[in-house]
């Protein structure tokens, strides 16, 4: 009797919104340790227990297995699988089983009767589809519940998930379905709604909040946090904690709180959760989350790559592609696995690649003018257009033609222009971005007030306009200030020129030139040790900013390619992801530039008409004051007609200005998206069989191959790829399983050597065993087979 009472009390104390326990218990330990606040974070197989929309948020195949130990031998076990397919699609299947053990029963006289074993079993089947940043999903379930009698029913769950920068949002409707009909009673499913959010406060710290509203009863809150740190090359350790308001207060003692930890290894993890239930005791959950096959390494590497995302648009960008209407697109949704050659073009010309990077994609006159690489304090940008939108900016934001950058007290901002010129904007500064005919050669700004420190090298020009004249830097560093009354140019190194009213003044290093509003000029040599605004301006870090902004990138890349191409036994090829979207968008933006000019000309004409009608109206009013009675009637009629025409002209001007502002906003969004589309290119280095002569059936790296790999490693250090993929290939001799295993072992051997030689992080490397699946030559001759026995090394390089 004591056992039965304890079981019933424990089940009643569970944090549920209905009586069907198996439908509402967390199916894995991560979420349980975080107070069940996991609907916006669960991915893969774990999504079946929280939000089916997140099934497709994990790239690889996954499995989740959990065992929960409750009181008096009560157990809860789950098993789930998730399988992605196609592009951002996934299906999943799950099984959960709650067993309360054997409970004795007694008749009305107190004598022992037949015992019974209550249990619940639930089978789930889910599907999910992601549309860039938004995912939708649905799962159906079949539930069979047994107390003394059995009942069964089916139901469905719906889910929605949205990613927005470091935050994700989730909404789900759970347990929509029929009723459990026992012989003597009928029970509804625990219908409820769940809304959740997850915020990544730091790269290793997340905070989750879920709000659950059952059909009957009050809503309750769940919140939890997780901190993760790396332990070794492929392992990590996580600590979790949470609080659940629904579970607190139902029993005496400590309840509502939860805690846990996890150990991750190569994409999989082992997790533990501790959830106390006051005087009833404590519960323990242990779950295993497994990622299968090569997808485990790919998924881990891709998550790491996304965490270092170069560009984070502040909002979704609108673009119209192919004339089929507007389509919401996000730059972060672009695929990050370019070596999957389904959407690619092979390029064999080094010159074409460099030209594409240096001109067409990098210095377009219709895209971004500069990139903000660092800010300190409050820095704001006022966008161009009739409606002056102002917003605060941080690192990673682009600025465009006509934008005005303003820094407040004790604030500064670093900018890098498309031609590689670097500048630092000091406090209390207002700077407007200008345009020139060739963005690759000249960076141009207008200084309204404040101070700017500019660095120009490699023959690139930095031109800074002020109301009193223009300062020009070329292969020089200088500080330029303007306070409304005087413009001053202090050259730190090299030499600059100051152009004013046709006069050109050359200012050499350690010299200062100034000009006042009254026309007074002064040029003196100085030995000033006071610190400049931006003496320590450096090139952007390659991990934070695209290669587009590094003036040495193309030169280093070309040099290393020539060196690798000269090594006997190595063959080079280049691959670039399909640029169809970029080309279409670029043509559209070019057309928008033309249409903008037409609309601005039309608005100018309307403004001119309004001014003329206003002048005519004022003249008629003055004439009315001195007109006789006959002329007064005529002038009154003309004035009335003029007012009517003026009203129509003002209305038309207001409409065209409103349409122009909408058009400029759309054009800016398209320009931002065009700047944000990365050109992901791959450098393929194919090592022939004789270059890395592995012994037959062996995977030990031969000593006579190290000199070639040393050359590859040296180029790797210079180029600094974002990811390195090593593929092993064999001929078709032997079984496919043996070939796949041997090719993977050989790729691992090359990766291990390159890692030790370069000292680059292990997360940048991926090894793949391709077996005989991708032959270069389909023939059966010894020469054909030798071509297929090779190692391919892929460098992934990202830029704009």
């Amino acid at each position: 009797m004591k056992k039965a009472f304890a079981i019933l009390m424990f089940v009643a104390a569970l944090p549920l919104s209905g009586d069907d326990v198996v439908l509402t218990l967390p199916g894995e330990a991560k979420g349980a340790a975080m107070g069940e606040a996991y609907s916006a974070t669960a991915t893969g197989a774990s999504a079946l227990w929280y939000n089916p929309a997140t099934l497709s948020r994990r790239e690889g195949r996954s499995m989740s297995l959990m065992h929960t130990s409750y009181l008096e031998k009560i157990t809860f076990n789950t098993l789930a699988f998730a399988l992605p397919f196609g592009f951002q699609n996934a299906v999943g299947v799950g099984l959960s089983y709650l067993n309360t053990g054997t409970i004795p029963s007694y008749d009305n006289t107190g004598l022992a009767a037949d015992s019974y074993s209550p249990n619940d079993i639930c089978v789930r089947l889910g599907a999910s589809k992601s549309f860039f940043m938004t995912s939708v999903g649905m799962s159906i379930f079949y539930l069979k519940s047994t107390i003394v009698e059995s009942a069964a029913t089916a139901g469905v769950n719906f889910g929605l998930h949205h990613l927005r920068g470091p935050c994700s949002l989730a909404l789900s409707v759970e347990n929509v379905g029929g009723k459990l009909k026992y012989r003597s009673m009928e029970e509804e499913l625990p219908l409820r709604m769940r809304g959740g959010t997850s915020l990544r406060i730091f790269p290793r710290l997340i905070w989750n909040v879920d709000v659950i509203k059952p059909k009957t009863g009050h809503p309750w809150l769940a919140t939890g946090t997780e901190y993760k740190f790396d332990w070794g090359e492929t392992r990590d350790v996580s600590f979790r904690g949470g609080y659940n308001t629904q579970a607190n207060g139902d029993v005496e003692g400590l309840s509502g709180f939860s805690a846990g930890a996890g150990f991750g290894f190569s994409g999989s993890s082992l997790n533990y959760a501790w959830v106390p239930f006051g005087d009833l005791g404590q519960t323990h959950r242990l779950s295993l989350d497994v990622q299968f096959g090569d997808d485990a390494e790919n998924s881990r590497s891709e998550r790491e790559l996304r965490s270092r995302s170069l560009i984070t648009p502040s909002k979704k960008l609108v673009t119209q592609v192919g004339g089929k209407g507007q389509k919401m697109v996000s730059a972060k949704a672009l695929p990050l696995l370019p070596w999957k050659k389904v959407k690619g073009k092979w390029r064999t010309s080094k010159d074409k690649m460099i030209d594409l990077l240096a001109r067409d994609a990098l210095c377009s006159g219709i895209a971004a003018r500069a990139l903000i690489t660092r800010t300190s304090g409050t820095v704001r940008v006022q966008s161009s257009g009739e409606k002056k939108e102002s917003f605060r900016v941080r690192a990673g934001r682009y600025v465009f033609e006509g934008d005005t950058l303003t820094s407040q007290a004790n604030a500064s901002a670093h900018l890098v222009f498309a031609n590689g010129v670097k500048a630092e904007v000091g406090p209390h500064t207002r700077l407007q971005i200008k345009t020139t005919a060739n963005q690759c050669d000249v960076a141009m700004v207008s200084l309204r007030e404040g101070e700017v420190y500019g660095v120009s090298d490699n023959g690139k020009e930095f031109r800074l306009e002020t109301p009193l004249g223009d300062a020009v830097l070329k292969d020089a560093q200088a500080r330029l200030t303007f306070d409304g009354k005087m413009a001053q140019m202090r050259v730190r190194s090299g030499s600059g020129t100051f152009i004013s009213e046709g006069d050109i003044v050359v200012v050499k290093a350690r010299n200062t030139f100034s000009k006042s509003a009254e026309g007074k000029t002064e040029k003196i040599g100085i030995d000033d040790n006071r610190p400049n605004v931006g003496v320590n301006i450096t090139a952007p870090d390659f991990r934070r900013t695209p290669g587009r902004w590094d003036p040495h990138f193309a030169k280093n890349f070309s040099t290393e390619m020539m060196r690798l191409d000269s090594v006997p036994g190595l063959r080079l090829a280049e691959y670039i992801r399909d640029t169809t979207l970029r080309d279409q968008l670029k043509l559209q933006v070019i057309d928008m530039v033309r249409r903008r000019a037409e609309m601005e000309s039309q608005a100018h004409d309307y403004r001119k008409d309004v001014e003329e009608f206003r002048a005519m109206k004022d003249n008629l009013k003055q004439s009315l004051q001195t007109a006789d009675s006959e002329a007064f009637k005529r002038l009154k009629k003309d004035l009335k007609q003029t007012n009517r025409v003026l009203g129509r002209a003002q209305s038309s001007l207001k409409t065209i200005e409103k349409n122009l502002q909408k058009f400029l906003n759309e054009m800016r969004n398209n320009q931002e998206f065009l700047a944000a589309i990365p050109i992901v290119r791959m450098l393929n280095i194919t090592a022939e069989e004789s270059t890395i002569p592995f012994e037959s059936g062996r995977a030990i790296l031969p000593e006579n191959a190290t000199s070639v790999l040393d050359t590859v490693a040296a180029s790797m250090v210079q180029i600094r790829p974002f990811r390195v993929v090593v593929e092993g290939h064999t001929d078709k001799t032997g079984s496919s399983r043996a070939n796949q295993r041997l090719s993977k072992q050989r790729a691992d051997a090359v990766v291990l050597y390159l890692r030790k030689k370069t000292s680059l992080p292990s997360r940048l490397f991926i090894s793949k065993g391709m077996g005989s699946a991708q032959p270069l030559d389909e023939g059966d001759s010894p020469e054909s087979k030798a071509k297929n026995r090779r190692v391919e090394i892929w460098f992934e390089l990202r830029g704009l």
Side-chain angles (χ1 to χ4, degrees):
M1 190 70 179
K2 180 179 178 182
K3 175 181 178 181
F5 178 76
I7 292 174
L8 292 175
M9 284 294 295
F10 179 76
V11 172
L14 289 173
L16 306 175
S17 55
D19 296 327
D20 302 297
V21 178
V22 74
L23 291 180
T24 50
L25 281 175
E28 50 77 62
K30 288 183 182 179
M34 299 173 69
E36 300 183 34
Y38 210 57
S39 63
T41 308
T43 59
S46 300
L48 284 170
W49 318 120
Y50 296 95
N51 185 354
T54 57
L55 271 169
S56 57
R57 284 301 184 201
R58 182 180 292 190
E59 298 294 334
R61 298 162 291 169
S62 61
M63 179 189 75
S64 177
L65 175 66
M66 186 191 73
H67 171 73
T68 303
S69 176
Y70 288 125
L71 302 177
E72 296 291 341
K73 298 182 180 180
I74 301 175
T75 59
F76 178 56
N77 300 305
T78 64
L79 176 65
F81 294 91
L83 176 65
F85 67 94
F87 180 66
Q88 294 187 325
N89 305 308
V91 295
V93 59
L95 175 68
S96 53
Y97 179 67
L98 176 69
N99 184 12
T100 58
T102 302
I103 301 178
S105 63
Y106 303 88
D107 59 20
N108 55 5
T109 65
L111 298 176
D114 294 336
S115 61
Y116 59 98
S117 301
N119 63 81
D120 287 348
I121 185 169
C122 181
V123 180
R124 301 172 187 259
L125 179 64
S128 172
K129 168 67 177 177
S130 294
F131 303 91
F132 300 107
M133 296 293 102
T134 303
S135 300
V136 295
M138 181 183 73
S139 65
I140 58 176
F141 62 84
Y142 173 79
L143 170 66
K144 182 179 180 181
S145 180
T146 302
I147 304 178
V148 177
E149 303 168 348
S150 295
T153 188
V156 61
N157 298 334
F158 301 95
L160 181 68
H161 188 257
H162 177 70
L163 293 173
R164 191 171 184 86
C167 180
S168 59
L169 306 173
L171 180 66
S172 62
V173 181
E174 303 174 356
N175 309 320
V176 180
K179 301 179 179 180
L180 288 171
K181 297 180 180 180
Y182 300 93
R183 183 182 304 173
S184 57
M185 61 178 293
E186 189 176 78
E187 180 182 328
E188 292 186 350
L189 295 180
L191 176 66
R192 64 185 188 179
M193 292 187 64
R194 179 194 291 261
T197 181
S198 176
L199 176 64
R200 185 168 295 279
I201 303 174
F202 301 109
R204 297 175 181 175
L205 178 65
I206 62 171
W207 177 43
N208 295 353
V209 177
D210 277 20
V211 178
I212 299 92
K213 175 62 175 73
K215 180 180 179 181
T216 58
H218 298 289
W220 47 281
L221 176 72
T223 183
T225 185
E226 176 189 67
Y227 181 79
K228 179 183 293 185
F229 64 90
D230 295 333
W231 181 26
E233 297 178 350
T234 60
R235 300 179 297 275
D236 57 71
V237 177
S238 303
F239 294 99
R240 307 179 182 98
Y243 181 73
N244 189 307
T245 61
Q246 200 273 345
N248 186 32
D250 292 338
V251 295
E252 296 293 332
L254 180 64
S255 63
F257 293 93
S258 57
F263 174 68
F265 47 94
S266 300
S268 302
S269 62
L270 180 65
N271 304 285
Y272 167 76
W274 169 76
V275 183
F277 282 93
D279 295 340
L280 293 177
Q282 305 173 3
T283 67
H284 306 274
R285 295 171 171 86
L286 190 65
S287 70
L288 180 65
D289 190 353
V290 181
Q291 191 104 356
F292 290 100
D294 292 335
D295 291 330
E297 292 186 53
N298 290 347
S299 177
R300 178 181 176 86
S301 179
E302 185 167 345
R303 289 196 303 273
E304 291 170 350
L305 186 60
R306 284 176 176 171
S307 70
R308 303 195 307 270
S309 181
L310 303 178
I311 300 166
T312 306
S314 60
K315 58 185 178 180
K316 283 187 176 179
L317 306 175
V318 182
T319 182
Q320 183 175 2
V321 179
K324 298 182 180 180
Q326 289 189 341
K327 183 178 181 181
M328 302 299 290
V329 189
S330 172
K332 295 184 74 174
L334 295 172
L336 296 176
L337 297 176
W339 48 79
K340 293 183 178 180
K341 306 181 184 68
V342 292
K343 291 185 177 180
K345 298 176 183 178
W346 285 95
R347 300 179 66 93
T348 57
S349 170
K350 308 177 188 62
D351 295 334
K352 287 183 179 180
M353 177 66 68
I354 297 301
D355 182 68
L356 174 68
L357 288 172
R359 295 288 167 183
D360 179 62
L362 309 191
C363 301
S364 170
I366 59 173
R369 299 292 180 259
L371 174 69
I372 298 175
T373 60
R374 191 172 70 193
T375 62
S376 174
T378 301
V379 180
R380 303 186 68 84
V381 164
Q382 189 177 62
S383 62
S384 57
E386 295 294 329
K387 184 180 179 181
K388 301 295 185 181
E389 267 187 321
S390 179
F391 45 88
R392 186 173 179 176
V393 294
R394 298 188 185 276
R397 183 80 189 199
Y398 290 99
V399 287
F400 294 81
E401 172 192 355
D403 288 355
T404 300
L405 187 144
T406 305
S407 60
Q408 297 184 2
N410 300 319
S412 63
H414 282 210
L415 286 82
V416 182
F417 293 83
N419 65 344
V421 165
K422 297 175 285 292
E424 182 176 344
V425 178
H428 292 297
T429 298
R430 192 156 57 100
L431 191 77
Q432 186 180 43
I433 307 299
K434 308 287 284 186
T435 185
T436 59
N438 193 339
Q439 298 299 319
C440 274
D441 295 329
V442 181
M444 191 169 186
V445 297
S446 175
L447 181 62
R448 307 294 180 85
E449 61 178 338
E451 56 185 345
V452 175
Y453 187 85
V455 179
S456 171
D457 52 18
N458 293 320
K460 304 304 180 181
E461 183 177 312
F462 182 38
R463 182 181 292 267
L464 189 141
E465 295 181 347
T466 72
L468 302 179
D470 299 347
V472 180
L473 299 179
K474 198 168 186 179
D475 292 323
Q477 300 182 28
R479 177 181 179 176
L480 306 115
T481 60
F482 178 68
D483 60 5
K485 297 180 180 180
M486 184 174 68
Q488 186 180 81
M489 177 180 181
R490 180 186 301 164
V491 178
R492 178 179 176 83
S493 65
S495 63
T497 57
F498 194 90
I499 305 172
S500 176
E501 298 177 353
D503 296 330
I504 301 177
V505 180
V506 178
V507 186
K508 296 183 179 180
R510 312 304 297 171
N511 280 255
T512 298
F513 175 81
S514 60
K515 181 176 180 178
S516 66
E518 291 80 15
K520 296 180 180 180
T521 62
E522 185 179 12
K523 182 179 178 182
I524 59 174
I526 61 171
D527 188 14
D528 191 353
N529 294 321
R530 288 178 295 174
N532 284 292
V533 177
V535 173
N536 296 320
I537 293 181
T538 57
D541 188 273
F542 76 97
R543 288 165 295 186
R544 293 185 62 250
T545 55
R548 164 181 185 171
W549 308 105
D550 183 358
H552 305 290
F553 178 77
K555 182 179 179 181
N556 288 345
F557 177 70
S558 180
T559 301
E560 294 305 320
M561 286 189 62
M562 292 176 61
R563 183 162 72 145
L564 288 171
D565 208 15
S566 64
V567 177
L570 293 184
R571 290 184 291 108
L572 269 66
E574 296 171 72
Y575 159 74
I576 184 167
R577 193 174 56 198
D578 187 13
T579 58
T580 302
L581 174 61
R582 185 182 184 91
D583 293 341
Q584 291 178 346
L585 189 60
K586 182 179 178 182
L587 292 175
Q588 178 178 328
V589 173
I590 292 174
D591 182 64
M592 295 182 78
V593 172
R594 178 185 56 80
R595 290 167 56 196
R596 179 188 68 176
E598 295 175 355
M599 295 180 71
E600 289 177 340
S601 175
Q602 189 177 5
H604 174 73
D605 293 341
Y606 276 115
R607 294 189 191 99
K608 188 176 179 181
D609 290 344
V610 169
E611 291 176 359
E612 291 178 354
F613 286 129
R614 282 176 177 170
M616 186 182 300
K617 177 181 176 181
D618 293 339
N619 292 334
L620 289 173
K621 284 183 177 181
Q622 292 178 2
S623 300
L624 281 173
Q625 297 176 1
T626 59
D628 54 25
S629 58
E630 184 176 351
F632 183 86
K633 293 181 180 179
R634 178 176 55 80
L635 291 174
K636 190 73 174 178
K637 183 178 180 181
D638 291 342
L639 179 60
K640 184 177 181 180
Q641 184 178 0
T642 301
N643 283 330
R644 186 166 53 250
V645 175
L646 176 61
R648 287 199 298 265
Q650 288 176 327
S651 177
S652 299
L653 176 59
K654 186 177 181 180
T655 300
I656 190 63
E657 286 181 338
K658 183 178 180 181
N659 292 336
L660 178 60
Q661 181 57 45
K662 291 181 179 179
F663 184 82
L664 290 175
N665 291 338
E666 181 183 353
M667 179 177 171
R668 183 186 179 90
N669 288 338
N670 279 272
Q671 287 176 321
E672 288 181 348
F673 186 30
L674 179 63
I677 297 178
I679 293 181
V680 180
R681 56 201 177 112
M682 302 297 296
L683 175 61
N684 175 257
I685 308 167
T686 301
E688 300 172 353
E689 180 192 22
S690 58
T691 308
I692 307 180
F694 287 103
E695 295 182 15
S696 178
R698 303 289 299 275
I700 300 176
L701 194 66
E703 293 184 1
N704 55 351
T706 57
S707 61
V708 173
L709 292 179
D710 288 346
T711 304
V712 175
S715 295
M716 190 184 306
V717 172
Q718 292 296 322
I719 297 176
R720 303 288 293 196
F722 280 92
R723 192 156 39 176
V724 178
V725 180
V726 179
E727 295 179 351
H729 297 262
T730 67
D731 60 29
K732 56 186 177 182
T733 304
S735 67
S736 58
R737 179 175 296 182
N739 286 335
Q740 196 279 334
R741 181 173 60 252
L742 178 62
S743 61
K744 180 66 164 61
Q745 292 172 348
R746 290 179 172 179
D748 289 340
V750 174
V751 165
L752 181 61
Y753 185 86
L754 292 176
R755 278 177 49 196
K756 291 181 178 179
K757 198 69 180 178
T758 61
S759 299
L760 293 175
S762 60
R763 64 177 179 269
L764 300 183
F765 293 87
I766 296 176
S767 63
K768 290 187 174 184
M770 310 305 293
S772 58
Q774 296 182 5
L776 293 178
D777 194 325
E778 297 287 351
D780 293 325
S781 64
E783 294 78 10
S784 298
K785 292 182 178 180
K787 290 181 181 179
N788 296 330
R789 296 190 293 268
R790 67 195 189 278
V791 174
E792 293 190 10
I793 304 172
W794 291 83
F795 288 177
E796 178 188 349
L797 303 153
R798 299 184 71 202
L800 292 183

